[in-house]
Amino acid sequence: NVVPGSAHSMLTNVDDGLVVSAGVPYDIFVEVIDIHGNIGESNDLSTSLDAAIGEIDVSNTGVGYWSFIGKTSGEYTLTLNEGNASHSIPLTILAGEPIRIRTQMQSASIAQGDIILIDVWGVDTYDNIVQIDHLNTTVTCTAGDATHVTAGTWEVEVSESGNDRSCTILWEGLIAQNFFDVDEVLFGGAVGS
Protein backbone atom coordinates (compact mmCIF):
# COMPACT_ATOMS: atom_id res chain seq x y z
CA ASN A 1 0.00 0.00 0.00
CA VAL A 2 1.72 3.14 -1.25
CA VAL A 3 0.33 6.51 -0.16
CA PRO A 4 1.17 9.90 -1.69
CA GLY A 5 4.18 11.68 -0.23
CA SER A 6 4.36 15.27 1.05
CA ALA A 7 2.06 17.73 -0.68
CA HIS A 8 3.75 19.58 -3.53
CA SER A 9 0.62 21.12 -5.08
CA MET A 10 -3.16 21.10 -4.58
CA LEU A 11 -6.46 20.88 -6.42
CA THR A 12 -9.89 21.90 -5.13
CA ASN A 13 -13.45 21.74 -6.41
CA VAL A 14 -13.59 25.58 -6.22
CA ASP A 15 -10.43 26.58 -8.11
CA ASP A 16 -12.41 29.10 -10.20
CA GLY A 17 -13.54 30.91 -7.05
CA LEU A 18 -15.57 30.38 -3.92
CA VAL A 19 -18.74 32.38 -3.26
CA VAL A 20 -20.41 31.92 0.14
CA SER A 21 -22.98 33.65 2.31
CA ALA A 22 -21.79 34.72 5.77
CA GLY A 23 -22.61 32.14 8.42
CA VAL A 24 -23.46 29.36 5.96
CA PRO A 25 -20.94 26.43 5.96
CA TYR A 26 -19.62 25.39 2.55
CA ASP A 27 -17.73 22.12 1.90
CA ILE A 28 -14.53 22.35 -0.14
CA PHE A 29 -12.96 19.14 -1.49
CA VAL A 30 -9.15 19.38 -1.47
CA GLU A 31 -6.67 16.95 -3.03
CA VAL A 32 -2.90 17.12 -2.62
CA ILE A 33 -0.38 16.06 -5.25
CA ASP A 34 3.12 14.91 -4.32
CA ILE A 35 6.28 15.56 -6.33
CA HIS A 36 5.75 12.34 -8.32
CA GLY A 37 2.17 13.23 -9.33
CA ASN A 38 0.44 10.91 -6.86
CA ILE A 39 -2.93 12.30 -5.73
CA GLY A 40 -4.53 11.91 -2.31
CA GLU A 41 -7.09 13.64 -0.10
CA SER A 42 -5.99 16.56 2.04
CA ASN A 43 -5.78 15.73 5.75
CA ASP A 44 -3.79 18.57 7.34
CA LEU A 45 -5.05 21.79 5.78
CA SER A 46 -4.53 25.30 7.17
CA THR A 47 -5.07 28.86 5.99
CA SER A 48 -3.56 32.25 6.77
CA LEU A 49 -6.94 33.97 6.40
CA ASP A 50 -7.86 36.11 9.42
CA ALA A 51 -10.39 34.24 11.61
CA ALA A 52 -12.55 37.39 11.69
CA ILE A 53 -13.03 37.03 7.90
CA GLY A 54 -13.63 33.27 7.79
CA GLU A 55 -12.62 29.91 9.21
CA ILE A 56 -11.88 26.50 7.76
CA ASP A 57 -12.23 23.24 9.68
CA VAL A 58 -12.55 19.50 9.05
CA SER A 59 -15.92 18.60 7.53
CA ASN A 60 -18.10 15.67 8.59
CA THR A 61 -18.70 14.90 4.89
CA GLY A 62 -15.57 12.74 4.60
CA VAL A 63 -11.81 12.62 4.05
CA GLY A 64 -10.53 15.51 1.93
CA TYR A 65 -13.56 17.71 2.69
CA TRP A 66 -13.10 20.95 4.61
CA SER A 67 -15.90 23.18 5.87
CA PHE A 68 -15.48 26.92 5.28
CA ILE A 69 -17.59 29.51 7.11
CA GLY A 70 -17.38 33.13 5.94
CA LYS A 71 -17.93 35.93 8.44
CA THR A 72 -17.08 39.35 6.98
CA SER A 73 -18.54 40.23 3.58
CA GLY A 74 -16.14 41.32 0.86
CA GLU A 75 -13.64 40.11 -1.76
CA TYR A 76 -10.60 38.16 -0.53
CA THR A 77 -8.03 35.53 -1.49
CA LEU A 78 -8.29 32.22 0.36
CA THR A 79 -4.82 30.67 0.57
CA LEU A 80 -4.74 27.00 1.57
CA ASN A 81 -1.56 25.40 2.92
CA GLU A 82 -0.50 21.80 3.43
CA GLY A 83 3.04 20.43 3.53
CA ASN A 84 5.07 22.31 0.90
CA ALA A 85 1.96 23.17 -1.10
CA SER A 86 0.13 26.47 -1.17
CA HIS A 87 -2.98 27.17 -3.23
CA SER A 88 -4.87 30.46 -3.62
CA ILE A 89 -8.55 30.77 -4.52
CA PRO A 90 -10.60 33.94 -5.15
CA LEU A 91 -13.10 34.27 -2.30
CA THR A 92 -16.32 36.28 -2.19
CA ILE A 93 -18.28 36.46 1.05
CA LEU A 94 -21.81 37.83 0.72
CA ALA A 95 -23.93 39.11 3.59
CA GLY A 96 -25.97 36.36 5.24
CA GLU A 97 -29.63 36.25 6.21
CA PRO A 98 -30.81 39.39 8.06
CA ILE A 99 -31.48 38.94 11.77
CA ARG A 100 -32.44 42.53 12.68
CA ILE A 101 -33.19 45.96 11.24
CA ARG A 102 -31.29 49.11 12.06
CA THR A 103 -32.55 52.63 11.45
CA GLN A 104 -31.16 56.12 11.67
CA MET A 105 -32.99 59.41 11.46
CA GLN A 106 -31.04 62.14 9.69
CA SER A 107 -32.37 64.84 11.98
CA ALA A 108 -31.97 65.34 15.73
CA SER A 109 -34.36 68.26 16.23
CA ILE A 110 -37.73 67.79 14.52
CA ALA A 111 -40.61 70.26 14.20
CA GLN A 112 -43.98 70.30 12.44
CA GLY A 113 -43.57 71.07 8.75
CA ASP A 114 -40.14 69.43 8.53
CA ILE A 115 -39.33 66.74 6.02
CA ILE A 116 -37.00 64.17 7.59
CA LEU A 117 -35.16 61.20 6.13
CA ILE A 118 -34.95 57.75 7.72
CA ASP A 119 -32.23 55.30 6.63
CA VAL A 120 -33.07 51.61 7.06
CA TRP A 121 -30.81 48.57 6.63
CA GLY A 122 -30.59 45.00 7.82
CA VAL A 123 -27.68 43.20 9.47
CA ASP A 124 -26.76 39.52 9.56
CA THR A 125 -25.22 37.48 12.41
CA TYR A 126 -21.78 39.04 11.80
CA ASP A 127 -23.06 42.64 11.44
CA ASN A 128 -22.68 42.66 7.65
CA ILE A 129 -25.07 45.13 6.01
CA VAL A 130 -28.01 43.56 4.17
CA GLN A 131 -29.74 45.88 1.70
CA ILE A 132 -33.45 46.46 2.31
CA ASP A 133 -35.89 45.64 -0.49
CA HIS A 134 -38.34 48.56 -0.40
CA LEU A 135 -41.00 46.57 -2.27
CA ASN A 136 -41.65 44.31 0.72
CA THR A 137 -40.93 46.88 3.44
CA THR A 138 -43.58 48.84 5.30
CA VAL A 139 -42.73 52.17 6.99
CA THR A 140 -45.48 53.85 9.03
CA CYS A 141 -45.03 56.96 11.14
CA THR A 142 -47.37 58.58 13.68
CA ALA A 143 -45.85 61.98 12.83
CA GLY A 144 -46.86 61.96 9.17
CA ASP A 145 -46.79 60.11 5.87
CA ALA A 146 -43.69 58.13 4.87
CA THR A 147 -42.63 57.84 1.21
CA HIS A 148 -39.82 55.71 -0.24
CA VAL A 149 -37.04 57.83 -1.75
CA THR A 150 -34.24 55.48 -2.82
CA ALA A 151 -32.64 52.18 -1.72
CA GLY A 152 -33.13 52.05 2.08
CA THR A 153 -34.19 55.69 2.56
CA TRP A 154 -37.69 56.98 3.35
CA GLU A 155 -38.95 60.57 3.62
CA VAL A 156 -41.42 61.59 6.33
CA GLU A 157 -43.54 64.74 6.03
CA VAL A 158 -43.93 65.71 9.68
CA SER A 159 -47.44 67.00 10.35
CA GLU A 160 -48.19 65.88 13.95
CA SER A 161 -46.43 67.33 17.01
CA GLY A 162 -45.94 65.60 20.35
CA ASN A 163 -43.56 63.66 22.55
CA ASP A 164 -44.89 60.25 21.58
CA ARG A 165 -44.16 60.07 17.86
CA SER A 166 -42.66 56.97 16.24
CA CYS A 167 -41.81 55.30 12.95
CA THR A 168 -42.27 51.55 12.64
CA ILE A 169 -40.40 49.56 9.99
CA LEU A 170 -41.51 46.03 9.07
CA TRP A 171 -39.39 43.91 6.69
CA GLU A 172 -39.07 40.14 6.20
CA GLY A 173 -40.78 39.49 9.54
CA LEU A 174 -38.35 41.84 11.33
CA ILE A 175 -39.48 45.01 13.07
CA ALA A 176 -37.77 48.19 14.26
CA GLN A 177 -39.08 51.40 15.83
CA ASN A 178 -37.75 54.92 16.20
CA PHE A 179 -39.23 57.18 18.88
CA PHE A 180 -38.83 60.94 18.72
CA ASP A 181 -40.31 64.26 19.79
CA VAL A 182 -41.85 66.76 17.38
CA ASP A 183 -41.92 70.44 18.34
CA GLU A 184 -45.16 72.31 17.70
CA VAL A 185 -44.94 75.36 15.44
CA LEU A 186 -47.27 78.15 14.37
CA PHE A 187 -50.16 77.03 12.08
CA GLY A 188 -49.21 73.37 12.60
CA GLY A 189 -46.26 73.69 10.27
CA ALA A 190 -48.42 74.54 7.27
CA VAL A 191 -45.94 77.22 6.23
CA GLY A 192 -42.84 75.21 7.19
CA SER A 193 -41.03 74.93 10.47
Side-chain angles (χ1 to χ4, degrees):
N1 183 28
V2 179
V3 297
S6 296
H8 182 68
S9 61
M10 281 188 233
L11 291 172
T12 76
N13 62 337
V14 290
D15 282 349
D16 292 337
L18 176 61
V19 179
V20 298
S21 293
V24 179
Y26 187 93
D27 274 353
I28 304 171
F29 183 65
V30 182
E31 292 178 305
V32 293
I33 306 167
D34 70 12
I35 199 163
H36 299 291
N38 300 306
I39 298 174
E41 292 85 5
S42 168
N43 58 19
D44 189 23
L45 196 68
S46 65
T47 181
S48 55
L49 190 68
D50 189 328
I53 295 171
E55 293 182 341
I56 197 160
D57 202 359
V58 177
S59 171
N60 294 330
T61 304
V63 179
Y65 284 92
W66 296 84
S67 180
F68 179 80
I69 296 180
K71 296 180 180 179
T72 306
S73 62
E75 303 278 333
Y76 307 98
T77 299
L78 175 62
T79 302
L80 306 173
N81 304 301
E82 183 167 340
N84 296 322
S86 181
H87 191 67
S88 294
I89 301 165
L91 170 65
T92 302
I93 301 174
L94 307 172
E97 289 296 313
I99 61 166
R100 72 180 165 275
I101 300 174
R102 290 195 178 156
T103 66
Q104 180 178 2
M105 300 186 77
Q106 295 184 4
S107 217
S109 178
I110 303 169
Q112 281 179 298
D114 285 350
I115 294 176
I116 59 170
L117 296 176
I118 299 176
D119 292 323
V120 182
W121 66 96
V123 292
D124 67 10
T125 305
Y126 297 102
D127 275 342
N128 296 305
I129 293 175
V130 180
Q131 295 302 318
I132 293 275
D133 178 7
H134 74 278
L135 295 175
N136 61 3
T137 303
T138 305
V139 178
T140 54
C141 296
T142 60
D145 294 330
T147 308
H148 180 254
V149 179
T150 182
T153 303
W154 276 260
E155 178 182 87
V156 180
E157 294 181 30
V158 180
S159 58
E160 301 290 326
S161 64
N163 296 331
D164 58 350
R165 300 300 161 212
S166 67
C167 285
T168 304
I169 298 97
L170 181 63
W171 174 62
E172 302 264 329
L174 303 172
I175 191 167
Q177 279 190 307
N178 273 24
F179 294 95
F180 52 94
D181 298 335
V182 177
D183 297 329
E184 189 173 3
V185 296
L186 192 61
F187 304 120
V191 292
S193 60

